[in-house]
Amino acid sequence: MSSTTRRGFLGSAAVAAGGGGAVLGAPRRAAARDGAVPQSVAVLGGGVAGLTAAHELAERGFRVTVHERKALGGKARSMDVPDSGTGGRAPLPGEHGFRFIPGIYHNLPDTMRRIPFPGNPHGVHDNLVAPKEMLFARSGGREDIRVPVPWPGETPAELTPDEIRRALTAFLDTAFRLPPHEALYFANRVLVLLTSCDERRDEIWERTPWWEFVRAGRMSYDYQRILAVGITRNIVATKAEEASTRTVGTLLEAFLFNALGRGADGPVDRILNAPTNEAWIDPWVTYLKSLGVGFEVGWTVLDLPLEAGRIAGAVMEDRAGTRRTVTADHYICAMPVEHARRTWNPAVRAADPQLAECDLLQTDWMTGIQFYLTESTPIVHGHLNLIDSPWSLTAIAQARHWPGHDFPADFGDGTVVDCLSVDVSEWDRPGILYGRTAKQCTRAEVAREVWAQLKASLNDTGRTVLKDSALHSWFLDPAVDGLGTPAPTNDEQLLVHPTGTFHHRPRSATRIPNLFLAGDYVAVPIDLATMEGANTSARQAVNALLEQVGSTAGRCTVTPLYRAPEFELLKRHDRTRHRLGLPNLFDLG
């Protein structure tokens, strides 16, 4: 590392945290109720939602304890590869999946600015860096599509003459294979989305699969892979055949305006400049501890008993099987939905019917695997989308984006120079090596299959981007278990957005006066299972709690996605047409 070592980091962050509120403009710590003893809040879950709730509550004078069953940071955390560090180096960095914090986010970046980090005037937000380009990798000998990600003030990526030749070849190859009428039709579909009123989005597009909306079944292979499948994988990490057009369209609109510099917090593509815990989660926890937040890790919530219409406690169990009941004035349920709904007993569900609706929400597998390389590779300076890969792979080479690290000097055994972090989004389709799905493969077979699919897309145009001889080792998220058996499991799944599910997402406030919900499954403006959604839902939960207790503390800001004012008149016109049962003015069918 450069000036801050891993061992010395937490101590430095603790010193910075002492004055963090004043430096970063955090809200003045106010009593939960003027003149009263601060009320207690049990935050159940220590992921992004739980840490955000603890942050906002602690800065407003509440006594907060976060209870987490596994590890603080949840799916956003990074983790050490066991027994991989030697000679005083840190273990190789692993993760559930690579971080992506685009400029369409507003609430999460606001929180990041309020987390002190040594030497950063804007806290951990200054640890965000913007990749200069992204790559849509093709297989079968077709040139890859290289796309710059420009942003004012940023230096564009430097390309060699050969890279320019390849980029032009890829563009022309795709342009000539994509029939002009298909490109025009897709542009029309985007126009329909931009001018659709909220009612049409909620009632029609929410129940229409993206695949059907863009008529992908009638179009060419390139149209399907780039404009149907590619967009849904890149934007919402879900399947085009199932994804709600409302969800995909909402995010596509936001990214389009982000690329134009409209209503954005920053560049379209941003990542952290170091492993997630180092750059974000650890300093966050340190800051929260300085505010008096308590943390209890290793406890799983089993039940939320209801007495006299209120939650009477949270029944928990530790890893040794010891049970206890935690009591507090208020409870914020910040667990992922698949874990949270197990804790809602029949009495709790009867008290608020929206909780039962959550049984209709769906999760799926999207899990990361990291490949550690002993040689640098000529991969694009940004994210890769392997369009033709059967397992819908996306990836990023991380070392070049971590300027404060000398990778071989800081990590592993001194021979690893880079980490290629790959997200596997499709676990139920056969691969190219074994003809089996990822769930049917063993962990080692998954690694070999992903590596083969990476090479099929990156080594097929005359360059050897990935060498078998450079592969040092790999690390697959330990949340995945039982691969290759009849009953594989994934303990950390991702909420997906099939048609109709938006209407089953709950509000942060419940009918139980001391129970509030936070998590990426809660209804929020972004309508997507993201860290931004988790952060926003926690802000909503805290606001609902403040209202419930009559607190005079300032409310959390909740910033919605950007809406372009020039389209509002057309949306009002579309509202009239929708109420009359007419299609959108621009809808060609």
Side-chain angles (χ1 to χ4, degrees), residues 67-70 297-303 314-319 322 324 335 339 342-343:
H67 305 269
E68 164 60 32
R69 70 188 182 95
K70 186 179 286 187
V297 178
W299 290 90
T300 298
V301 181
L302 302 177
D303 190 26
V315 179
M316 301 183 184
E317 182 177 81
D318 69 6
R319 292 164 183 152
T322 303
R324 64 169 179 157
M335 297 173 280
H339 299 294
R342 298 171 190 164
T343 71

Side-chain angles (χ1 to χ4, degrees), residues 297-437:
V297 178
W299 290 90
T300 298
V301 181
L302 302 177
D303 190 26
L304 299 174
L306 192 70
E307 294 181 10
R310 298 174 65 87
I311 299 298
V315 179
M316 301 183 184
E317 182 177 81
D318 69 6
R319 292 164 183 152
T322 303
R323 292 195 180 188
R324 64 169 179 157
T325 298
V326 170
T327 59
D329 296 315
H330 308 281
Y331 302 83
I332 292 184
C333 181
M335 297 173 280
V337 66
E338 67 271 23
H339 299 294
R341 56 193 174 199
R342 298 171 190 164
T343 71
W344 302 332
N345 58 53
V348 168
R349 289 167 176 258
D352 191 344
Q354 72 169 339
L355 299 179
E357 290 280 305
C358 292
D359 290 342
L360 300 173
L361 299 178
Q362 300 178 37
T363 59
D364 203 350
W365 292 32
M366 182 178 182
T367 304
I369 181 171
Q370 288 78 55
F371 294 96
Y372 304 101
L373 309 176
T374 58
E375 295 180 17
S376 296
T377 61
I379 299 179
V380 69
H381 290 260
H383 285 100
L384 318 172
N385 185 333
L386 284 75
I387 293 177
D388 303 311
S389 59
W391 289 2
S392 295
L393 306 180
T394 50
I396 188 166
Q398 293 178 321
R400 70 194 62 193
H401 302 294
W402 295 354
H405 278 290
D406 180 334
F407 210 96
D410 292 341
F411 299 110
D413 61 6
T415 65
V416 175
V417 302
D418 207 348
C419 171
L420 181 59
S421 188
V422 185
D423 282 353
V424 182
S425 297
E426 177 55 75
W427 287 76
D428 295 304
R429 288 185 180 172
I432 62 176
L433 273 186
Y434 304 106
R436 298 197 298 271
T437 70

Side-chain angles (χ1 to χ4, degrees), residues 153-328:
E154 294 287 338
T155 304
E158 296 182 0
L159 300 180
T160 66
D162 182 64
E163 288 173 331
I164 293 174
R165 177 188 64 78
R166 289 175 178 273
L168 288 173
T169 301
F171 173 79
L172 294 172
D173 173 69
T174 300
F176 281 109
R177 293 203 190 193
L178 188 65
H181 74 275
E182 292 187 355
L184 290 172
Y185 183 77
F186 184 80
N188 172 260
R189 303 316 282 165
V190 173
L191 181 61
V192 170
L193 287 172
L194 293 175
T195 57
S196 287
C197 63
D198 292 339
E199 291 83 353
R200 189 183 299 279
R201 295 180 186 219
D202 292 348
E203 298 169 19
I204 304 298
W205 302 144
E206 170 60 21
R207 292 182 169 82
T208 304
W210 177 251
W211 183 269
E212 178 183 324
F213 178 79
V214 298
R215 305 294 188 267
R218 309 177 189 175
M219 304 298 186
S220 64
Y221 175 81
D222 277 4
Y223 182 100
Q224 294 174 352
R225 299 306 300 180
I226 298 173
L227 300 178
V229 175
I231 283 179
T232 54
R233 286 301 182 193
N234 264 27
I235 294 179
V236 296
T238 191
K239 300 173 182 177
E241 297 86 350
E242 302 173 1
S244 153
T245 294
R246 180 193 189 281
T247 299
V248 179
T250 297
L251 272 295
L252 178 59
E253 177 181 7
F255 276 110
L256 285 174
F257 287 115
N258 189 175
L260 295 172
R262 301 275 299 276
D265 180 81
V268 173
D269 190 0
R270 293 183 300 189
I271 58 177
L272 291 163
N273 64 0
T276 308
N277 274 40
E278 179 184 324
W280 174 23
I281 302 300
D282 288 348
W284 199 2
V285 172
T286 298
Y287 177 57
L288 295 183
K289 287 180 178 178
S290 78
L291 297 180
V293 175
F295 293 93
E296 295 193 357
V297 178
W299 290 90
T300 298
V301 181
L302 302 177
D303 190 26
L304 299 174
L306 192 70
E307 294 181 10
R310 298 174 65 87
I311 299 298
V315 179
M316 301 183 184
E317 182 177 81
D318 69 6
R319 292 164 183 152
T322 303
R323 292 195 180 188
R324 64 169 179 157
T325 298
V326 170
T327 59

Side-chain angles (χ1 to χ4, degrees), residues 52-54 56-57 60 332 516 537-547 555-556:
T52 301
E56 300 294 350
L57 288 165
R60 289 163 174 79
I332 292 184
F516 307 89
S537 70
R539 290 165 178 252
Q540 292 180 167
V542 171
N543 285 345
L545 190 156
L546 295 175
E547 290 295 325
R555 300 312 190 245
C556 306

Side-chain angles (χ1 to χ4, degrees), residues 106-123:
H106 289 278
N107 299 301
L108 183 67
D110 171 71
T111 296
M112 298 179 81
R113 288 186 177 93
R114 291 158 45 207
I115 302 170
F117 192 93
N120 288 358
H122 303 104

